[in-house]
Amino acid sequence: MAPKSSAGKEKLLGDEDEVLQAVILADSFNKRFRPLTTRKPRCLLPICNAPLLDWTFESLALAGVQEIFVICRSHAEQVKSTIAESRWSKPGSGIKIMPIMTAKETFSPGDAMRDIYTRGLVTGDFVLVMGDLVSNVKINEVVKAHKERRKTNKDAIMTMVVKESGSRHRTRPTGNSSVFVIDSETSECLHYEPVMGYPPTKVAGIPREILAEHPEVEIRNDLIDCSIDICSVEVPSLFQDNFDYLDIRRDFVHGVLTSDLLMKNIYCYVAKEGYAARVQDTKSYQSISKDILSRWTFPLVPDNNHPAGDVYEHRRGNKYIAKDGSVVLARTSRIGNNCLIGPSTQVSEDVQITSSVIGRNCVIGSGSIIDNSYIFDGTIIGAGCVVEHSIVGAGVEIRENSRVGKGCLVGDGVVIGPEAVLERFEKLSKKRETGDDGEQEDEEEDVDSEEEEIEANQEDSIKAQLGSDCNAIVWPREAPDEDEDEEGVENYKNQRFLRLGLAFSTPSTSFFFCATGDDASDLEFTDEGSLSSDEDSDSSDEDSDSDANFTTLPTSSATSLTLENSTIVAASDAVAESEFRAEVEQSLERAFAEGHSVDNAAVELKTLRMASNVPLSRVRESVVSAIVEKIQIVEGGGVPQRQEIAKVINRWGPLIDKIGGVDAVETVSILQTHCATSERLPLFAQILVALYQADIVEEVDMRRWHALPSSKGAGEEPGPRRDGMKKCWDVGAALLEQLSQQESDSDEDSEGDDDDGDDDEEEEDEEEELRRGPRRIEQLSIIK
């Protein structure tokens, strides 16, 4: 509850007594999830079978928040009802939640902040988040840092939480990122600039005075904005004073930092640990779902602290089955890795489910395939259906032999089929009910005028495509007219980067880790290093983020069965390897960026290996590849290049053996194979020398590798790969020859010293150790 004050004097609360308040903006203020949100707010959409809003509550509860105001306009009654029925409203929850319905004129976050000021809701520093946050970041530590700063600087009005990420991190929004200019010493945010995918942002304009007044700044485009803000009580009043502030980042933060009158300071808190991301669009919905199933969000995982209160059994391969014994899985059904099956769901014979989430009370008909899709509660999928890379709403009925293509969104209550075919990126919603007088009835008080217009212009031919009993309307997929296209981040072309089905590739590897549909290859965009520009999505089907391993589970409530009773069926090895390598690359990218210890990085990789059930050699391949690609190519080579190689190998090289099963010969073979097709081919010898000096490989290991027929390229088809391997083999031969020459010279020196007698034997050993200890080979003519 709010702090109390007695008559005649104020009671100042100490930090330990102050109530920590939070404000959740439950409205999304955009249309990215339509038609799933035509009759339901985005904050109530389920992710891993729990409403988004519950995940946000759980995130705030972990931070010790005691009082939460939920600000909502769209479908406010649904939000209030859901909160009232949730476990958060029960006595003993430790949190007081108050849903606040704002005015109908609230069309932006800025409008909501002005309403907060008018109502006088907050009484001190508060946490501001959106209603689609999934986080385990220790927000209380950020609050503490903010309060300490406020003691010496009353103009420090906001602290924004950001998280480091690589350019290919799957939760990093391609079409909606930011440039932060941060004071290296104080963490003050000096400048903020939004970056869109389309139209591409080519230049970031930084005021000269920032560079003149601050001797050292960081200009960063590698930060994920978690949209977690610690605000002072005066922040809402600043929105009230300026009605041009609509968006919190693009308008408020940018406006405060560029204002010569306000003289206020905003800071960044770069979270080194923890997970935080927003479900801002359908692409991030898929990414965050996979992160939850892969346990990056621990302790917020399905089998522990599930926000909806369900209990799941965690099985090998990150399979989660409702633990109440109500799930029915046919003996011939196959459940792949990274899947979640909700309570009271029935899965029939010969069903294949891969990397998907199935809600409560669902029925999956025999022979159906569910691939990388998200099925909400109460949905019935008939026999012989295929659903891939799509989101299917609650209470949907997809009748037999229907196919739902990649990137589709099917709204609640839709009926399609039999034998319906939805093309890629199709969007369907249920027709509004028709009353006795023939007039259509609005089930909700929030009327979507665009939905009315689309339904009025629906063609009769569409019904024939979707089945005789179809009750759906189809939303247009084509781009709107240029004069009707929205400006800013919500423009149609930019939104293509933010929808389910965006294809990603990595420069250092040949696989896609989220190749699920539209690769936006026809658009020029900002982040050229993160998207495939020359491959059609269909060609990458075999590399999609699916599973290779299925588990055949017996009939009835199989949730009580142990894994020993399951039969692992090998299928589509290339797909599984693609998924696993993507997870390893993401883990290593995070380890590199956040400076993890080698031991901690090894633990994560071992966990991934056990979860994915892949050979140890695959882990070593990924680790060696990642380390090699981390080495920067220094123009001109020479000593600076050797120093760069030594720095990376000395820091991360031990990770190659820490993952288990030390095999130095295999390590050299993997290094050769990777360098053969990499731009780092000229660095092969220098990297091999660095591994030798770091005691990761020995001379005998190099000789064994060199003697293998495969090292000469035996069995390889003629081409660049074989040529590259032959070059590595030739370089290795020269390197080994020079090592032999060094040993020969060393032996001659030691023989000449034998005449001195045995008295100097110990001294000779020490000299020999000193001579060979550093194992310096940079004198070799081959290392230039």
Side-chain angles (χ1 to χ4, degrees):
M1 60 181 179
K4 299 179 180 178
S5 60
S6 57
K9 67 175 183 178
E10 294 182 350
K11 178 183 178 182
L12 300 178
L13 294 177
D15 288 345
E16 67 278 3
D17 298 323
E18 187 173 352
V19 173
L20 181 56
Q21 297 177 308
V23 172
I24 299 176
L25 302 185
D27 289 297
S28 60
F29 304 108
N30 59 54
K31 304 174 181 179
R32 299 176 190 174
F33 274 84
R34 287 193 307 177
L36 295 171
T37 54
T38 54
R39 295 175 177 84
K40 179 188 295 182
R42 180 196 299 180
C43 66
L44 297 186
L45 293 179
I47 186 167
C48 290
N49 288 351
L52 274 170
L53 193 57
D54 280 350
W55 289 96
T56 305
F57 289 153
E58 193 72 58
S59 301
L60 294 175
L62 288 175
V65 171
Q66 300 159 278
E67 193 172 77
I68 300 176
F69 299 101
V70 181
I71 310 300
C72 52
R73 180 193 71 86
S74 175
H75 308 283
E77 293 303 322
Q78 287 189 43
V79 175
K80 290 182 179 180
S81 176
T82 300
I83 293 175
E85 296 172 0
S86 73
R87 63 191 181 95
W88 302 102
S89 296
K90 296 179 181 178
S93 67
I95 299 178
K96 182 179 181 182
I97 301 176
M98 288 162 284
I100 307 295
M101 181 176 178
T102 64
K104 288 293 183 183
E105 294 75 23
T106 302
F107 298 114
S108 70
D111 294 334
M113 294 298 289
R114 283 182 276 276
D115 195 48
I116 291 170
Y117 172 77
T118 303
R119 297 171 183 265
L121 298 179
V122 293
T123 58
D125 294 342
F126 64 98
V127 181
L128 175 66
V129 298
M130 301 298 289
D132 49 23
L133 173 70
V134 177
S135 168
N136 62 7
V137 170
K138 297 178 180 178
I139 302 176
N140 54 320
E141 294 182 359
V142 190
V143 174
K144 183 178 179 181
H146 175 81
K147 289 181 178 292
E148 288 297 321
R149 188 180 293 118
R150 289 271 294 168
K151 290 179 180 178
T152 57
N153 180 12
K154 295 300 182 184
D155 291 326
I157 60 171
M158 178 185 284
T159 300
M160 302 182 291
V161 179
V162 294
K163 192 86 171 61
E164 289 181 341
S165 75
S167 61
R168 299 180 299 276
H169 194 284
R170 66 184 176 195
T171 57
R172 183 174 187 256
T174 306
N176 184 19
S177 58
S178 310
V179 171
F180 293 88
V181 180
I182 303 173
D183 187 293
S184 303
E185 183 177 350
T186 64
S187 297
E188 180 183 357
C189 184
L190 306 173
H191 182 73
Y192 171 87
E193 192 159 322
V195 177
M196 289 192 302
Y198 188 91
T201 303
K202 298 294 186 181
V203 178
I206 302 172
R208 290 183 177 179
E209 54 268 22
I210 290 178
L211 303 178
E213 296 173 4
H214 299 268
E216 186 174 349
V217 298
E218 298 177 2
I219 303 174
R220 307 191 63 168
N221 184 227
D222 65 334
L223 299 175
I224 295 177
D225 187 353
C226 304
S227 293
I228 303 173
D229 301 325
I230 314 303
C231 304
S232 71
V233 70
E234 61 187 296
V235 166
S237 67
L238 296 176
F239 281 88
Q240 182 69 18
D241 294 339
N242 193 327
F243 280 79
D244 290 334
Y245 292 163
L246 301 179
D247 184 84
I248 293 176
R249 291 290 183 267
R250 293 180 176 79
D251 299 322
F252 176 73
V253 171
H254 182 77
V256 169
L257 296 180
T258 55
S259 174
D260 295 329
L261 301 177
L262 291 177
M263 305 299 289
K264 301 296 183 181
N265 306 121
I266 296 176
Y267 290 80
C268 285
Y269 181 95
V270 182
K272 301 295 184 182
E273 297 179 352
Y275 179 93
R278 279 187 59 204
V279 183
Q280 304 182 69
D281 42 64
T282 53
K283 173 181 169 289
S284 60
Y285 179 95
Q286 180 180 35
S287 300
I288 295 171
S289 295
K290 292 184 180 300
D291 286 344
I292 293 172
L293 296 177
S294 300
R295 307 182 74 78
W296 291 110
T297 58
F298 189 88
L300 300 183
V301 289
D303 59 309
N304 179 61
N305 285 331
H306 188 262
D310 294 332
V311 180
Y312 288 89
E313 178 186 357
H314 179 215
R315 300 181 177 186
R316 185 174 61 187
N318 291 330
K319 305 178 183 71
Y320 302 89
I321 310 296
K323 208 172 182 179
D324 60 359
S326 61
V327 175
V328 177
L329 299 174
R331 186 173 296 276
T332 56
S333 63
R334 296 189 289 176
I335 311 299
N337 294 347
N338 296 317
C339 285
L340 186 147
I341 311 295
S344 302
T345 284
Q346 301 178 38
V347 179
S348 304
E349 294 80 3
D350 300 320
V351 168
Q352 296 183 27
I353 301 177
T354 62
S355 295
S356 299
V357 176
I358 311 298
R360 307 170 187 84
N361 301 301
C362 294
V363 177
I364 312 298
S366 60
S368 291
I369 298 174
I370 312 296
D371 176 31
N372 278 273
S373 295
Y374 307 90
I375 313 299
F376 294 175
D377 295 349
T379 288
I380 300 174
I381 297 177
C385 293
V386 176
V387 181
E388 50 182 342
H389 298 281
S390 297
I391 302 177
V392 178
V396 171
E397 185 176 352
I398 301 176
R399 297 184 176 173
E400 61 273 9
N401 300 320
S402 296
R403 184 182 187 92
V404 178
K406 295 179 179 179
C408 290
L409 303 180
V410 182
D412 293 353
V414 166
V415 177
I416 61 172
E419 300 183 353
V421 177
L422 297 188
E423 300 297 333
R424 294 190 307 168
F425 303 108
E426 207 78 83
K427 297 190 293 185
L428 274 64
S429 65
K430 180 183 175 182
K431 292 179 181 178
R432 291 173 297 154
E433 299 294 335
T434 302
D436 296 336
D437 56 359
E439 295 294 327
Q440 288 178 320
E441 299 175 351
D442 294 319
E443 298 177 0
E444 295 286 339
E445 57 187 56
D446 300 293
V447 179
D448 191 325
S449 58
E450 184 175 356
E451 182 184 17
E452 289 183 301
E453 181 179 351
I454 291 171
E455 186 169 349
N457 297 324
Q458 200 77 180
E459 298 179 5
D460 294 336
S461 59
I462 293 177
K463 185 173 182 179
Q465 291 178 304
L466 301 181
S468 57
D469 297 327
C470 175
N471 66 347
I473 61 172
V474 180
W475 292 57
R477 291 186 298 163
E478 67 277 3
D481 296 335
E482 291 298 325
D483 57 346
E484 296 178 357
D485 202 2
E486 295 190 52
E487 296 181 358
V489 71
E490 299 302 322
N491 75 72
Y492 174 81
K493 292 180 179 178
N494 191 69
Q495 286 304 304
R496 288 181 60 187
F497 295 109
L498 302 175
R499 65 181 177 179
L500 181 71
L502 183 65
F504 274 84
S505 67
T506 63
S508 60
T509 56
S510 60
F511 61 89
F512 286 69
F513 72 84
C514 187
T516 58
D518 184 15
D519 61 4
S521 58
D522 58 318
L523 299 181
E524 180 186 9
F525 55 92
T526 298
D527 190 1
E528 297 182 5
S530 63
L531 294 175
S532 167
S533 61
D534 58 357
E535 298 207 26
D536 182 76
S537 58
D538 288 339
S539 67
S540 62
D541 285 353
E542 65 178 4
D543 297 318
S544 66
D545 195 10
S546 301
D547 276 290
N549 295 324
F550 296 89
T551 302
T552 302
L553 296 169
T555 310
S556 76
S557 56
T559 55
S560 61
L561 292 177
T562 62
L563 283 172
E564 286 69 20
N565 294 330
S566 302
T567 303
I568 304 300
V569 181
S572 183
D573 291 339
V575 174
E577 185 174 326
S578 170
E579 178 186 28
F580 172 72
R581 290 183 64 182
E583 294 286 354
V584 170
E585 178 170 326
Q586 194 172 2
S587 176
L588 290 173
E589 204 170 70
R590 187 179 290 115
F592 293 158
E594 300 177 3
H596 293 178
S597 68
V598 170
D599 288 336
N600 288 344
V603 169
E604 285 193 12
L605 294 178
K606 289 177 182 178
T607 302
L608 279 175
R609 182 196 165 213
M610 289 187 292
S612 301
N613 192 31
V614 299
L616 183 59
S617 59
R618 294 294 178 264
V619 189
R620 186 171 286 108
E621 288 174 6
S622 299
V623 171
V624 171
S625 300
I627 292 174
V628 170
E629 293 302 322
K630 183 169 176 58
I631 297 172
Q632 300 297 320
I633 298 177
V634 179
E635 187 175 354
V639 174
Q641 182 67 77
R642 292 199 297 272
Q643 291 174 339
E644 167 65 16
I645 293 172
K647 181 183 72 174
V648 175
I649 296 299
N650 291 338
R651 174 67 174 89
W652 293 107
L655 182 60
I656 298 171
D657 291 340
K658 284 281 187 180
I659 58 178
V662 177
D663 190 336
V665 177
E666 184 179 68
T667 296
V668 181
S669 296
I670 291 171
L671 174 65
Q672 176 195 22
T673 303
H674 180 81
C675 288
T677 55
S678 169
E679 62 180 353
R680 287 159 178 76
L681 175 59
L683 305 181
F684 171 76
Q686 298 181 45
I687 297 172
L688 187 55
V689 167
L691 293 172
Y692 174 75
Q693 291 174 336
D695 291 326
I696 297 170
V697 300
E698 302 290 342
E699 182 181 346
V700 65
D701 302 318
M702 291 190 282
R703 295 193 181 280
R704 288 174 180 170
W705 157 76
H706 199 258
L708 294 174
S710 59
S711 299
K712 298 180 183 181
E716 291 285 340
E717 295 290 334
R721 175 186 171 95
R722 182 176 178 178
D723 295 342
M725 294 187 71
K726 185 63 169 60
K727 289 178 182 178
C728 292
W729 190 86
D730 291 339
V731 169
L735 180 60
L736 290 170
E737 182 178 347
Q738 293 180 56
L739 279 173
S740 298
Q741 184 62 43
Q742 276 194 346
E743 290 179 359
S744 177
D745 294 342
S746 177
D747 291 341
E748 290 177 4
D749 292 341
S750 62
E751 288 175 3
D753 293 338
D754 283 345
D755 296 336
D756 295 338
D758 297 334
D759 295 338
D760 296 330
E761 183 176 348
E762 183 176 347
E763 182 178 349
E764 291 172 0
D765 291 342
E766 291 177 356
E767 290 177 355
E768 179 68 13
E769 185 66 26
L770 287 173
R771 184 160 52 249
R772 302 185 61 181
R775 309 175 76 172
R776 296 186 179 276
I777 317 180
E778 59 262 31
Q779 300 93 336
L780 297 178
S781 59
I782 199 164
I783 309 299
K784 297 181 180 179

